[in-house]
Amino acid sequence: MESIFHERQEGSLCAQHCLNNLLQGEYFSPVELSSIAQQLDEEERMRMAEGGVSSEEYRTFLQQPSVNMDDSGFFSIQVISNALKVWGLELILFNSPEYQRLGIDPINEKSFICNYKEHWFTVRKLGKQWFNLNSLLMGPELISDTYLALFLAQLQQEGYSIFVVKGDLPDCEADQLLQMIRVQQMQRPKLIGEEAAQSRDQRLLRSDVDQAIEVNHPFDGTGMLDEDEENFQRALALSRQEIDMEDEEADLRRAIQLSMQGSRQSEFSDSLSQNVPQSPHTSQTDALSSEELRRRRRVHFEKQQQQLQQQDQTPKLHDKPTLTSSTPQADPDGDMSEEDMLQAAMNMSLESVRNDLNTEEEK
């Protein structure tokens, strides 16, 4: 609907808005309508003067204000009718007997001008659809064909005078565009006063709420600080609770883990004790005294020494002198073989063991 020309209400210039919305353009201004009104006043004065300028009626006429316009911007039906004559248009009263005898369906007309007290507005057909171009609305209002007759009847019941505009209206962009397409309107446009009242009520409501907040909680900086401090303490308490719960859960998990480990160890020990038999030798060894153990170790080492001495008396592969059990001797060349060095190391180890045993016996 952006292509539709629609003037919104300014002051009391509803007659100007009515004409411009009808013609779909800025065709008339307050100055031009005032000029038409003054011309009508002069014509009426001249008619009154025909009866005598000294007559009481003439002097009374001069003292009365103009009936065609006033200082607020209101213009009479005579001014509107004379303005439309410039474009070859004529106004006929919709509910007059003359028009009613024609039996014309309102849907077949092109436009209507409606008046109630001092307010004027236009209802016009653009393309194939009807629109209410009331300047008190925020935008054009789409009127369906089936609703048009009911809409006009409702206006008559409310006291409106309805005039049918006869003649060819000037071409306009909106009429040409809407001949090709049809528009849809999801929501009826609001009244300018309704929009302003809602905005005023919202401002007053916000002001009342702000005042109530200021009275109950004066802004001195402490309120915000107290609220921030309270939020901080609450967050800190929640954090501590979460930490305590985490610590308790951790301790519980550790206790369960240790308990399971202990049970596993005890089960493992029991299974070992049950599965591994105790040999008689082991129990017998546990029962032996320290003297018996010392004696058996000594016998064991003496047997090993005898075996080593027997091995020393066997002929070597190389014709080399034999080594004594106490000190190694070098061969004629001054070198020792690996076998001789191993034998000497074993002898020294046996000698050290023997000395330890003797020391223990003396003790």
Side-chain angles (χ1 to χ4, degrees):
M1 298 185 185
E2 295 180 357
S3 61
I4 299 177
F5 182 85
H6 179 259
E7 281 187 354
R8 296 181 185 178
Q9 186 74 20
E10 293 183 4
S12 299
L13 298 175
C14 53
Q16 171 194 332
H17 304 320
C18 174
L19 290 170
N20 289 338
N21 290 338
L22 172 67
L23 301 174
Q24 285 294 288
E26 296 180 356
Y27 288 90
F28 292 98
S29 66
V31 176
E32 294 172 340
L33 294 179
S34 298
S35 177
I36 296 175
Q38 291 175 359
Q39 183 179 356
L40 290 174
D41 290 342
E42 182 63 21
E43 292 177 356
E44 291 179 4
R45 188 193 65 79
M46 293 178 63
R47 284 196 299 270
M48 293 297 297
E50 293 179 354
V53 293
S54 59
S55 64
E56 186 68 22
E57 295 179 354
Y58 181 75
R59 288 196 298 267
T60 303
F61 173 79
L62 294 178
Q63 293 176 358
Q64 292 178 349
S66 173
V67 294
N68 294 303
M69 68 175 183
D70 58 21
D71 296 337
S72 65
F74 169 77
F75 296 96
S76 65
I77 182 62
Q78 289 79 12
V79 174
I80 295 176
S81 179
N82 281 17
L84 291 177
K85 288 180 180 179
V86 178
W87 295 93
L89 300 174
E90 181 184 2
L91 294 180
I92 300 177
L93 190 61
F94 176 70
N95 57 353
S96 64
E98 178 184 358
Y99 182 79
Q100 292 297 326
R101 283 195 297 268
L102 298 176
I104 301 176
D105 189 349
I107 199 174
N108 294 325
E109 299 291 353
K110 296 180 179 179
S111 59
F112 300 92
I113 288 181
C114 307
N115 168 250
Y116 179 70
K117 294 183 178 180
E118 295 182 354
H119 181 64
W120 303 87
F121 71 90
T122 295
V123 177
R124 173 173 173 171
K125 189 175 186 179
L126 293 169
K128 300 178 181 180
Q129 293 175 288
W130 285 90
F131 295 91
N132 177 10
L133 303 178
N134 194 336
S135 59
L136 294 177
L137 294 174
M138 295 296 296
E141 179 187 9
L142 180 64
I143 301 176
S144 64
D145 293 346
T146 55
Y147 181 65
L148 177 63
L150 180 61
F151 178 73
L152 296 177
Q154 182 180 358
L155 290 178
Q156 286 181 319
Q157 290 180 358
E158 293 176 358
Y160 275 84
S161 298
I162 302 175
F163 300 89
V164 182
V165 180
K166 289 293 186 178
D168 295 331
L169 295 169
D171 294 335
C172 63
E173 179 182 358
D175 185 61
Q176 296 174 359
L177 181 61
L178 294 176
Q179 289 287 348
M180 298 179 292
I181 61 174
R182 297 180 66 88
V183 298
Q184 294 181 352
Q185 190 173 44
M186 304 303 297
Q187 187 176 5
R188 177 186 179 276
K190 295 181 180 180
L191 293 170
I192 295 178
E194 180 183 359
E195 191 79 14
Q198 289 181 353
S199 300
R200 183 176 63 256
D201 292 342
Q202 291 176 358
R203 289 195 301 269
L204 292 175
L205 180 60
R206 285 195 298 267
S207 178
D208 293 341
V209 172
D210 294 341
Q211 290 179 1
I213 293 175
E214 185 175 357
V215 170
N216 295 327
H217 302 284
F219 180 76
D220 54 0
T222 59
M224 293 182 63
L225 292 176
D226 294 341
E227 185 178 357
D228 293 340
E229 180 67 21
E230 183 180 355
N231 293 333
F232 174 74
Q233 293 296 336
R234 188 181 297 110
L236 184 60
L238 291 175
S239 177
R240 288 176 178 173
Q241 291 179 2
E242 292 177 358
I243 292 174
D244 294 340
M245 292 176 63
E246 291 177 358
D247 292 342
E248 291 177 359
E249 291 178 358
D251 294 339
L252 180 60
R253 286 196 297 269
R254 282 197 294 269
I256 294 173
Q257 186 176 4
L258 291 174
S259 176
M260 294 177 66
Q261 289 179 356
S263 63
R264 292 194 189 101
Q265 290 178 357
S266 62
E267 292 174 359
F268 181 70
S269 300
D270 295 341
S271 63
L272 285 177
S273 61
Q274 294 176 2
N275 296 331
V276 179
Q278 297 291 334
S279 63
H281 178 73
T282 304
S283 59
Q284 183 180 1
T285 303
D286 295 338
L288 292 176
S289 63
S290 59
E291 292 294 335
E292 183 66 21
L293 288 174
R294 191 180 299 111
R295 187 184 65 78
R296 291 189 179 188
R297 279 187 297 177
R298 184 175 180 181
V299 172
H300 177 70
F301 282 112
E302 286 179 353
K303 288 181 180 181
Q304 288 184 350
Q305 186 177 4
Q306 290 176 3
Q307 291 177 0
L308 289 174
Q309 288 177 356
Q310 291 177 2
Q311 291 178 359
D312 292 341
Q313 293 176 1
T314 58
K316 303 292 187 298
L317 295 175
H318 302 286
D319 296 335
K320 293 182 181 180
T322 60
L323 299 176
T324 61
S325 60
S326 58
T327 57
Q329 295 181 357
D331 60 356
D333 297 333
D335 296 331
M336 295 179 64
S337 64
E338 293 182 0
E339 185 177 355
D340 294 337
M341 293 177 66
L342 179 59
Q343 186 65 40
M346 293 176 64
N347 292 335
M348 293 175 64
S349 176
L350 290 173
E351 192 68 26
S352 176
V353 171
R354 190 181 296 110
N355 292 334
D356 293 340
L357 291 174
N358 292 333
T359 304
E360 290 180 1
E361 288 179 357
E362 293 176 356
K363 293 179 179 180

